[in-house]
Amino acid sequence: VIKDCQMSKPQEWVRFYDGNYLEHPILKGTYMRHKQGIQRWASGMVYSGQWENHVYHGEGALFANIEDSKSKGAVQPLYEGHWLDGKRHGHGVFQVEQETTSRNATSTRSQRHGVTKIYRGQFRDDLFNGKGVLYLEGVVSQTLPNRNIAGSAKRWIPLPQLSPAQMLRFEGTFQSSWKDTDSKVRELDRTYRKLNPEPCKELNLHTVTTAEKNKRKDRYVNYFDIDSGHVQKAGSQLPDLAMAWYRLKGSDSNHMRNGIASYADGSF
């Protein structure tokens, strides 16, 4: 009987989640991820770390897939560091594949090739804010040769290439606004806009009400709905403003304030 009923397995309150739970303070029989745990989503993404009231909170890492999460350090997470109320906050290391072409109305995700950028530093409300260093992975600057000017002993030196697209590294301070960035992403990223129809800085999932459940409002359906087996679904992955914004070409330069930048031609 134990084998047939799978009673030897730990109770699964939330699909594809292995960790600690806390019963919802309002919705009886509904559970929230709390303290330490690992969650997998249908997209393949994995979060491993600390939770509070169903959202990332404390130290934790976000991975692209389950294999990366099991690599024991061989693969760098998409983000590893501190979280606050579901958003990157404090110190962390962030990795993103940034697009090399600008968005337009007809472009598709498959047409957007990117370069890998890494940021190490301070975050606030999911975004670069404070001291940090941003750099392209696996590239070095080069010094362009100067040339003799015909009939002269003078040498011609190429003009420095100071476009943000040519920047290899920036170390200094960053400043960002969640409200402004969220607004800009909504204009450019249809997927982000579809997943997050209304600006919502704080989810406050522990305040979801019985009325929201009965009327099947978004906060309940997206994060606490149950499947045909009467088990809570993994739910939607938490909003990720940082990933949506910083994968856009040149977006990171909008948050740079003061520092030292190095470029592909060796300029500083």
Side-chain angles (χ1 to χ4, degrees), residues 178-195:
W178 184 95
K179 182 179 179 181
D180 293 344
T181 305
D182 178 78
S183 177
K184 291 175 183 176
V185 169
R186 290 178 182 283
E187 296 175 6
L188 299 169
D189 192 323
R190 288 175 293 179
T191 301
Y192 180 85
R193 189 166 63 246
K194 182 179 179 181
L195 293 174

Side-chain angles (χ1 to χ4, degrees), residues 246-266:
Y246 292 122
R247 69 180 173 214
L248 301 178
K249 179 184 177 182
S251 57
D252 42 30
S253 62
N254 284 272
H255 292 164
M256 295 174 184
R257 288 298 174 264
N258 298 291
I260 299 174
S262 60
Y263 295 83
D265 65 352

Side-chain angles (χ1 to χ4, degrees), residues 13-236:
W13 298 111
V14 178
R15 289 294 187 201
F16 312 120
Y17 175 72
D18 182 14
N20 301 108
Y21 298 92
L22 179 69
E23 187 171 20
H24 197 281
I26 300 172
L27 306 176
K28 300 304 178 183
T30 297
Y31 296 88
M32 300 185 298
R33 297 170 292 232
H34 198 72
K35 293 188 177 179
Q36 194 75 23
I38 301 173
Q39 176 71 64
R40 293 180 289 127
W41 286 275
S43 65
M45 299 279 277
V46 176
Y47 172 81
S48 176
Q50 296 173 319
W51 302 79
E52 186 172 290
N53 295 329
H54 220 48
V55 301
Y56 320 141
H57 190 91
E59 294 294 323
L62 188 65
F63 297 89
N65 53 61
I66 190 66
E67 290 77 17
D68 288 357
S69 71
K70 295 180 177 179
S71 68
K72 297 182 179 180
V75 178
Q76 182 170 316
L78 298 176
Y79 175 77
E80 185 172 21
H82 198 77
W83 304 80
L84 180 69
D85 296 329
K87 297 179 289 295
R88 298 165 181 84
H89 198 92
H91 188 273
V93 180
F94 175 76
Q95 177 179 240
V96 65
E97 185 176 347
Q98 190 174 94
E99 298 163 8
T100 56
T101 56
S102 299
R103 292 285 182 101
N104 59 61
T106 59
S107 64
T108 63
R109 184 67 57 83
S110 61
Q111 293 173 321
R112 302 173 195 144
H113 303 292
V115 293
T116 299
K117 288 190 172 184
I118 295 175
Y119 172 80
R120 297 175 181 271
Q122 296 295 314
F123 289 79
R124 184 185 68 185
D125 295 333
D126 221 28
L127 303 169
F128 304 167
N129 199 89
K131 293 182 178 180
V133 55
L134 176 71
Y135 57 93
L136 279 168
E137 186 179 41
V139 296
V140 295
S141 62
Q142 58 181 345
T143 302
L144 299 179
N146 52 30
R147 303 198 305 267
N148 285 326
I149 299 176
S152 171
K154 297 180 180 179
R155 300 181 73 83
W156 175 76
I157 301 176
L159 293 174
Q161 301 297 310
L162 302 182
S163 164
Q166 299 294 319
M167 189 184 301
L168 302 184
R169 178 185 171 93
F170 175 85
E171 184 169 3
T173 58
F174 295 76
Q175 187 175 357
S176 57
S177 162
W178 184 95
K179 182 179 179 181
D180 293 344
T181 305
D182 178 78
S183 177
K184 291 175 183 176
V185 169
R186 290 178 182 283
E187 296 175 6
L188 299 169
D189 192 323
R190 288 175 293 179
T191 301
Y192 180 85
R193 189 166 63 246
K194 182 179 179 181
L195 293 174
N196 309 283
E198 299 294 334
C200 182
K201 187 176 180 181
E202 307 293 343
L203 288 173
N204 293 322
L205 296 179
H206 61 290
T207 67
V208 174
T209 65
T210 303
E212 287 180 85
K213 176 182 178 180
N214 294 339
K215 295 179 180 179
R216 298 191 59 75
K217 296 291 187 178
D218 285 345
R219 278 204 308 170
Y220 174 78
V221 172
N222 290 344
Y223 300 104
F224 296 112
D225 206 8
I226 61 173
D227 60 21
S228 58
H230 302 287
V231 176
Q232 278 180 225
K233 298 178 181 179
S236 299

